[in-house]
Amino acid sequence: MLDAQRYKPGTLRSEVYFARYFAYGHVILGALPPLFFLLHACYACSAGVLIWYLLTLGLIYGMALGRDACRKGLSVVFAILPIFGVYFLAQVLPEWKVETPPLLPLTALPFWLGLWNLTYAAAAVFVWQSTYLKKACSIGFKLY
């Protein structure tokens, strides 16, 4: 009974709002890498990042249902993007030859991919350690 009183909907309002805003931020920012890979005419990478993005959306939905394992899984999946991004920048990009010029110049690709690598590496650590997200995932929250 005390747990039911402690976790009333109004008591964790700031944690729930924080989790919602974090999810909204990822929904918006996470959709940009597949789009940018499409504009660079790297279709296989775009498909891979799109699969990664859909996986993260499923984990965010699990977090909203109150499953803390989905929060930890989201942290691990967030760490996957920087690992493959560094591999792409170090191994694939130097040897990549484009037959037709893409819509975005290839000189922009290392900049935005490096920025996304840093952003999602920090987000992976943040999701793993955040007490606000832990509290919000312990009771669940609505995404709207």
Side-chain angles (χ1 to χ4, degrees), residues 16-28 60 63 74 78 120 123-124 126-127 133:
V16 169
Y17 283 141
F18 180 78
R20 284 182 192 166
Y21 294 143
F22 180 81
Y24 296 156
H26 170 64
V27 167
I28 294 169
I60 286 177
M63 283 174 46
L74 184 68
F78 272 2
Y120 276 100
F126 177 75
V127 169
L133 287 178

Side-chain angles (χ1 to χ4, degrees), residues 18 22 71 75 121-133:
F18 180 78
F22 180 81
R71 180 187 58 83
S75 177
V125 173
F126 177 75
V127 169
W128 190 271
Q129 297 293 327
S130 175
T131 57
Y132 272 73
L133 287 178

Side-chain angles (χ1 to χ4, degrees), residues 53-64:
Y53 178 66
L54 294 175
L55 181 63
T56 61
L57 291 181
L59 289 169
I60 286 177
Y61 179 70
M63 283 174 46

Side-chain angles (χ1 to χ4, degrees), residues 23-72:
Y24 296 156
H26 170 64
V27 167
I28 294 169
L29 291 178
L32 293 177
L35 175 68
F36 284 165
F37 273 124
L38 275 177
L39 294 176
H40 283 296
C42 186
Y43 303 115
C45 293
S46 178
V49 175
L50 184 64
I51 291 169
W52 169 86
Y53 178 66
L54 294 175
L55 181 63
T56 61
L57 291 181
L59 289 169
I60 286 177
Y61 179 70
M63 283 174 46
L65 294 177
R67 297 186 177 122
D68 194 51
C70 289
R71 180 187 58 83
K72 293 176 183 176

Side-chain angles (χ1 to χ4, degrees), residues 88-99:
F88 181 84
L89 288 174
Q91 302 294 326
V92 177
L93 186 61
E95 298 176 7
W96 188 34
K97 303 298 180 211
V98 182
E99 297 173 6

